[in-house]
């Protein structure tokens, strides 16, 4: 929504509060402000038409984000690799399998080439 150029000259310091109510920065307080708001936002495409907004829970502070648990289907090979990397993180380089050391060296070599 952009304010039409014909309205720019009508906004002044004396009626700035009225325009803030009319443009939605503050709640409309009378029919004139509400009519102006509806006219300004007549072509606005409201994307949440079918959504329910629980104003009371927002104002009371009881609104909470609902967490969602997503299960990942991880193959046994990937699980074994994760366990090896966990072991590396815990033990450091002592007793590290050679394929892990090679993988780390390759990764560092690749990053140095960039």
């Amino acid at each position: 929504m952009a304010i039409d150029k014909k309205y720019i000259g009508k906004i002044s310091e004396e009626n700035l509060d009225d325009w803030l109510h009319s443009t939605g920065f503050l709640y409309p307080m009378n029919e004139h402000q509400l009519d102006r708001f509806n006219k300004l936002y007549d072509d606005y495409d409201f994307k949440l038409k079918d959504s329910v907004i629980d104003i009371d829970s927002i104002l009371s502070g009881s609104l909470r984000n609902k967490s969602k648990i997503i299960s990942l289907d991880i193959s046994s090979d990937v699980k074994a690799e994760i366990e090896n990397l966990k072991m590396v993180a815990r033990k450091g380089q002592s007793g590290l399998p050679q394929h892990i050391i090679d993988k780390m060296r390759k990764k560092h070599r690749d990053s140095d080439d960039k």
Side-chain angles (χ1 to χ4, degrees):
M1 189 276 319
I3 293 181
D4 200 357
K5 291 184 191 234
K6 66 181 179 180
Y7 293 117
I8 298 297
K10 295 181 179 184
I11 300 173
S12 66
E13 192 173 328
E14 291 81 33
N15 65 4
L16 182 61
D17 192 51
D18 188 50
W19 276 98
L20 289 173
H21 287 280
S22 297
T23 54
F25 289 101
L26 299 172
Y27 292 114
M29 302 295 283
N30 56 41
E31 286 296 320
H32 176 69
Q33 294 169 354
L34 185 59
D35 290 341
R36 189 185 290 156
F37 177 84
N38 288 333
K39 186 175 179 183
L40 287 171
Y41 291 96
D42 188 38
D43 60 345
Y44 182 74
D45 182 22
F46 187 63
K47 307 253 189 282
L48 298 175
K49 288 179 183 167
D50 297 331
S51 297
V52 176
I53 300 171
D54 187 6
I55 305 253
D56 293 330
S57 66
I58 294 170
L59 295 176
S60 70
S62 63
L63 180 69
R64 301 284 180 241
N65 287 337
K66 295 177 183 175
S67 59
K68 192 177 217 182
I69 298 174
I70 301 172
S71 61
L72 301 175
D73 190 22
I74 300 174
S75 68
S76 59
D77 294 339
V78 174
K79 286 182 182 178
E81 185 68 25
I82 290 171
E83 287 304 317
N84 282 339
L85 293 174
K86 284 182 182 178
M87 178 185 68
V88 170
R90 282 192 303 267
K91 293 184 178 181
Q93 290 193 3
S94 63
L96 212 59
Q98 187 60 40
H99 73 282
I100 300 290
I101 294 171
D102 294 340
K103 187 184 253 187
M104 290 168 49
R105 284 187 180 145
K106 182 179 183 300
K107 183 173 174 76
H108 286 291
R109 244 184 274 127
D110 291 346
S111 65
D112 288 342
D113 293 341
K114 292 180 182 178

